[in-house]
Amino acid sequence: MDFDVKVFRGCEGLEQVKEDWGRIHSTMRTPSVNHDWRWYSALGQHVLTEQMWISCVYEQEEPLAIFIFLRRQRRFGFIRYWSLELLNHPAYIDTTDALIKAGHEAKPLLSAAIQAVRDWDICDLEGFGQRSQLSQLEEVDTGAVVGANKIAFVSCGNEQDLATLSKKHLKNINRFMRKAGENHGKVWLELKSEGSGEEIFEDFLRVEDASWKGSKGAKTSIACSGSQGISFYRQLYRQFGKTNDSNIMFLRFGDVRVATAFSLRTGSCWYLYKIGYDEAYAALAPGNILLKLLVERMAGDPDVTEINLVTCPEWSDRWHMASEATKNVLIYSNSVVAQTIRILRAMRRKRGTMVPHAVDRR
């Protein structure tokens, strides 16, 4: 099948494909944040230091798919090569995907998309989930391999879904809630926060920074990330908020905000990108209480079917949450460099000295 492919660059290119993006997005039954134009706009403006390569695939002027890549120079041992990668960033991007019109297969569209981007040796597709558009890619050259990461989620279409969660863990959380109520007053979830958007956002930054990840701990909070992280999340909050698809919620002990969560919605799923709590209340498990109250609230909302954690933190095991594995795929070009690396990788795997998808990220 013959496709027409147009390649655009950077944030300007993203603006150029916005209309076609919407046409494809409107056909998708279960879109995620990874399919939302606003997500990529915020990344392009505040996070990515390299220019995005946006490959749009058409059939008779009808947009069928959009793939967004980064073109980076990588190293495999002593060999340097050009890598064409799905968007990735250690601090801001945990999973990724492509935008594909409903009813179309990913493999031929991907093949057309990457052929239109010149001068690359290896196409590195990493971090797409089992429920993603790219999950159809079971065998492309070396085949798909299951990645090390997972995505935890809670189905909450009805109260029966909650029965899958750990009863022992929920019982412990209830105990903490009673203790918090006895010592600090009413325990309640502030789902729709009062005040201006900017005041809410600033208080969210304050509470998250008061946790173990803040300025007095690991220094991985948004406040510690400087203008880059703050501007990125502020734009997401504002842009998704225009359609009521962003939310900052707080757990209160009496009048005090002790925990917070930053979430974005696409379709019927809320994605929790940040959860933090004031370390002064850590003994009362405020993060767990917030999540329990949120899950219970969403179970009663007919418009919500899932709460997605985006990653799979160790503590999610205590909840007995469901999870999906991520996949990675490598596609080699016919360049001498690519084929040399392919042979070396095969030799290393045969000797058992290399995991299936080990790439030197330097």
Side-chain angles (χ1 to χ4, degrees):
M1 185 177 295
D2 293 328
F3 298 113
D4 180 29
V5 182
K6 299 177 183 178
V7 179
F8 302 87
R9 301 283 295 274
C11 291
E12 182 179 347
L14 198 61
E15 290 288 344
Q16 291 176 282
V17 304
K18 188 174 183 179
E19 182 177 347
D20 289 338
W21 190 295
R23 291 167 66 183
I24 299 173
H25 190 272
S26 65
T27 70
M28 301 176 68
R29 293 180 57 190
T30 56
S32 73
V33 172
N34 288 321
H35 304 128
D36 198 298
W37 185 91
R38 296 168 293 186
W39 171 254
Y40 293 93
S41 178
L43 285 171
Q45 292 182 50
H46 302 293
V47 173
L48 301 175
T49 56
E50 307 103 321
Q51 198 171 51
M52 293 179 286
W53 292 68
I54 306 162
S55 191
C56 303
V57 185
Y58 299 84
E59 184 180 31
Q60 298 179 353
E61 299 186 358
E62 180 67 22
L64 300 183
I66 298 177
F67 298 83
I68 300 185
F69 301 108
L70 297 175
R71 184 174 170 272
R72 291 169 168 167
Q73 192 168 52
R74 298 292 193 189
R75 195 178 76 181
F76 182 86
F78 60 88
I79 303 175
R80 292 192 177 277
Y81 67 95
W82 283 103
S83 175
L84 190 65
E85 307 172 3
L86 292 175
L87 299 196
N88 57 81
H89 191 285
Y92 300 101
I93 305 174
D94 296 293
T95 60
T96 189
D97 202 4
L99 195 73
I100 299 175
K101 186 177 180 179
H104 291 267
E105 295 184 5
K107 188 173 181 178
L109 295 170
L110 171 65
S111 179
I114 61 178
Q115 288 177 24
V117 181
R118 298 179 180 179
D119 300 326
W120 57 270
D121 298 300
I122 300 175
C123 182
D124 184 356
L125 310 177
E126 182 175 352
F128 55 91
Q130 290 176 314
R131 299 182 295 171
S132 69
Q133 299 284 292
L134 291 176
S135 63
Q136 306 168 32
L137 300 175
E138 295 183 355
E139 289 188 7
V140 181
D141 284 329
T142 59
V145 296
V146 177
N149 299 322
K150 291 184 178 181
I151 305 167
F153 62 93
V154 179
S155 297
C156 51
N158 53 63
E159 293 186 1
Q160 283 71 36
D161 288 330
L162 305 187
T164 62
L165 300 177
S166 169
K167 293 180 176 60
K168 178 180 179 181
H169 189 59
L170 294 176
K171 184 177 180 180
N172 286 334
I173 296 174
N174 286 333
R175 178 169 56 83
F176 285 122
M177 288 179 64
R178 288 194 298 271
K179 188 174 181 180
E182 293 169 358
N183 296 326
H184 301 286
K186 181 182 178 181
V187 176
W188 57 290
L189 181 65
E190 186 183 0
L191 195 58
K192 294 293 182 181
S193 304
E194 297 179 359
S196 69
E198 192 59 32
E199 290 173 344
I200 293 169
F201 185 78
E202 291 296 329
D203 215 26
F204 156 70
L205 294 179
R206 179 190 62 79
V207 176
E208 196 222 7
D209 191 59
S211 70
W212 61 269
K213 65 181 74 172
S215 53
K216 296 182 180 180
K219 294 182 173 58
T220 58
S221 66
I222 297 174
C224 289
S225 67
S227 59
Q228 181 189 58
I230 294 172
S231 298
F232 173 62
Y233 282 101
R234 179 181 280 116
Q235 178 167 328
L236 290 174
Y237 182 56
R238 289 174 175 173
Q239 294 300 315
F240 278 77
K242 291 179 179 179
T243 53
N244 294 320
D245 290 325
S246 67
N247 191 29
I248 290 175
M249 63 199 78
F250 296 95
L251 175 72
R252 285 188 182 247
F253 288 173
D255 295 328
V256 181
R257 288 171 169 171
V258 299
T260 187
F262 179 99
S263 60
L264 302 174
R265 178 174 60 185
T266 302
S268 60
C269 179
W270 279 102
Y271 295 83
L272 297 188
Y273 278 89
K274 289 290 181 179
I275 300 178
Y277 57 84
D278 189 329
E279 194 68 22
Y281 299 89
L284 295 171
N288 279 281
I289 295 175
L290 182 152
L291 188 55
K292 176 181 181 293
L293 294 178
L294 175 63
V295 169
E296 291 174 346
R297 182 77 65 86
M298 293 299 104
D301 187 336
D303 295 326
V304 180
T305 60
E306 181 178 314
I307 296 174
N308 191 299
L309 298 188
V310 185
T311 61
C312 191
E314 292 183 4
W315 53 260
S316 66
D317 290 340
R318 296 195 293 271
W319 285 78
H320 294 178
M321 291 184 182
S323 66
E324 61 174 310
T326 60
K327 291 183 178 180
N328 306 325
V329 168
L330 289 178
I331 302 173
Y332 295 87
S333 73
N334 292 324
S335 72
V336 174
V337 169
Q339 293 305 311
T340 300
I341 293 174
R342 185 175 190 172
I343 293 171
L344 291 174
R345 283 173 54 83
M347 292 171 62
R348 289 191 182 186
R349 285 199 302 271
K350 188 173 181 179
R351 294 199 304 264
T353 60
M354 181 177 181
V355 296
H357 192 77
V359 176
D360 190 338
R361 290 296 188 189
R362 287 175 286 180

